[in-house]
Amino acid sequence: MRFPPVPIAAIAAVLLCAAPRLLEAQIVASERALVAQTVDGTRITVDYSRPRARGRTNIYGGMEKWGVTWTPGADDATTLEVSKPVTLLGMTVPKGRYSVWLVLREREPWTLVLDPRDSLFHTDHPDSTAQQLRAPIAPRPVPQTEVLTWSFPAVTTTGATLDFRWGTLGVEIPITVPPSLPLLVSAEAAAPFLGDYDFTWTDSTSTEKPSRFTVVRRDGKLLGVWDPAQYGTLREMQLLSNGPDVFAYGFVRNGELWSTNPTLTVKFERANGAVTGFVYGSGSEVFARGIRRK
């Protein structure tokens, strides 16, 4: 059985419709990758391509020449985006997206360059401009890394370490983020709240006995300390200023702030200007009360 010939225009139309789908499935020499980390509400994102060493041992000084301004990636320049201003290698980096470059040197520190032109190609080696952010950074030996890699190996409550490595060298970039709540309270601001309180849970089913709750200032931090500890191990919280006479809950373990919960608060109460006690709860729900001891 013979079929009528298909018009060339019809074949072209089918191919054009299929083209976007075909392009989605495409092997490239350096696959694109993205790594992101959120710290206290600040999102840090690195978008980059991942070339492979493929047995090449002369990456630095050979394949990538000394003195060259090189993007640590391939194809489109690697980019760094921060959702809020951060501090990086002593520099204040405004909110935004930057192309990332390294000036490679054989015997001296390298230079990290953040360029506000975020859509450069890897061969568009940018000259130094007043708009760039530049800082020295020392490369370090790393285990042989076949595929160029950016990662966040360390994260704290105040920042993160951004790590780059390829071949046998890499760099570490410490990043500090702005706190969403003030971590420190001045002696003057803390003074009205310091002292002992009788602490009682309002939940009638609670098995915890009333305790002493002492508000102290230590190393610039305002802390509430239970005696005895509540629920076995709950001994202290950090009070983080979140409005007039209002402090958000900070979970403390082994003397270190682990996490914060702005919806869980200690709201101090006053009479004739003096602090008389507090309410511990969330929104309109009250979990416990504290009455200042005479």
Side-chain angles (χ1 to χ4, degrees):
M1 181 177 180
R2 297 184 62 186
F3 294 93
V6 179
I8 293 178
I11 296 175
V14 170
L15 290 175
L16 286 173
C17 291
R21 183 170 297 177
L22 291 172
L23 290 174
E24 289 176 3
Q26 178 183 4
I27 296 175
V28 296
S30 303
E31 294 286 5
R32 203 72 186 174
L34 183 145
V35 59
Q37 180 65 55
T38 299
V39 182
D40 196 8
T42 298
R43 186 169 177 83
I44 309 163
T45 306
V46 179
D47 190 344
Y48 69 110
S49 291
R50 305 191 67 194
R52 288 171 280 172
R54 303 175 187 268
R56 296 172 291 189
T57 59
N58 64 335
I59 292 174
Y60 305 101
M63 195 172 72
E64 306 300 341
K65 305 298 183 183
W66 299 124
V68 168
T69 303
W70 167 70
T71 191
D75 303 326
D76 290 332
T78 294
T79 62
L80 170 71
E81 184 172 8
V82 291
S83 65
K84 297 178 183 179
V86 302
T87 302
L88 181 157
L89 294 175
M91 302 185 296
T92 298
V93 180
K95 171 184 175 181
R97 189 167 183 259
Y98 305 83
S99 58
V100 180
W101 306 84
L102 290 169
V103 181
L104 308 177
R105 297 185 181 89
E106 184 175 9
R107 294 184 177 85
E108 299 176 3
W110 295 357
T111 300
L112 175 71
V113 181
L114 300 181
D115 196 302
R117 294 169 293 179
D118 63 350
S119 299
L120 299 177
F121 196 62
H122 75 102
T123 55
D124 299 335
H125 309 289
D127 292 331
S128 177
T129 69
Q131 290 71 40
Q132 291 174 347
L133 298 171
R134 304 170 71 91
I137 188 168
R140 75 193 198 289
V142 299
Q144 173 64 35
T145 304
E146 168 65 18
V147 185
L148 188 148
T149 301
W150 286 91
S151 67
F152 290 95
V155 180
T156 70
T157 55
T158 58
T161 298
L162 177 58
D163 180 273
F164 160 77
R165 56 183 64 190
W166 191 32
T168 58
L169 290 178
V171 296
E172 283 186 341
I173 305 171
I175 300 175
T176 302
V177 305
S180 57
L181 293 168
L183 300 179
L184 304 180
V185 179
S186 70
E188 181 181 4
F193 312 108
L194 303 181
D196 293 331
Y197 299 78
D198 289 317
F199 183 93
T200 306
W201 296 97
T202 58
D203 184 356
S204 60
T205 64
S206 175
T207 60
E208 296 298 306
K209 296 180 180 179
S211 63
R212 180 174 64 187
F213 185 83
T214 304
V215 178
V216 300
R217 182 175 180 268
R218 185 191 309 151
D219 298 327
K221 303 172 185 177
L222 195 64
L223 303 171
V225 182
W226 282 280
D227 183 21
Q230 301 295 286
Y231 299 100
T233 60
L234 188 60
R235 184 165 297 279
E236 65 181 34
M237 70 163 77
Q238 186 169 345
L239 302 175
L240 304 158
S241 182
N242 200 22
D245 291 350
V246 178
F247 295 84
Y249 172 82
F251 176 64
V252 175
R253 176 175 288 177
N254 298 327
E256 180 184 354
L257 178 64
W258 276 45
S259 62
T260 61
N261 185 346
T263 65
L264 188 58
T265 60
V266 172
K267 297 181 179 180
F268 286 92
E269 299 171 324
R270 294 179 183 252
N272 299 321
V275 173
T276 57
F278 62 80
V279 173
Y280 177 46
S282 178
S284 60
E285 190 173 4
V286 176
F287 301 143
R289 292 185 180 276
I291 305 298
R292 186 186 282 278
R293 290 187 174 186
K294 301 295 185 181

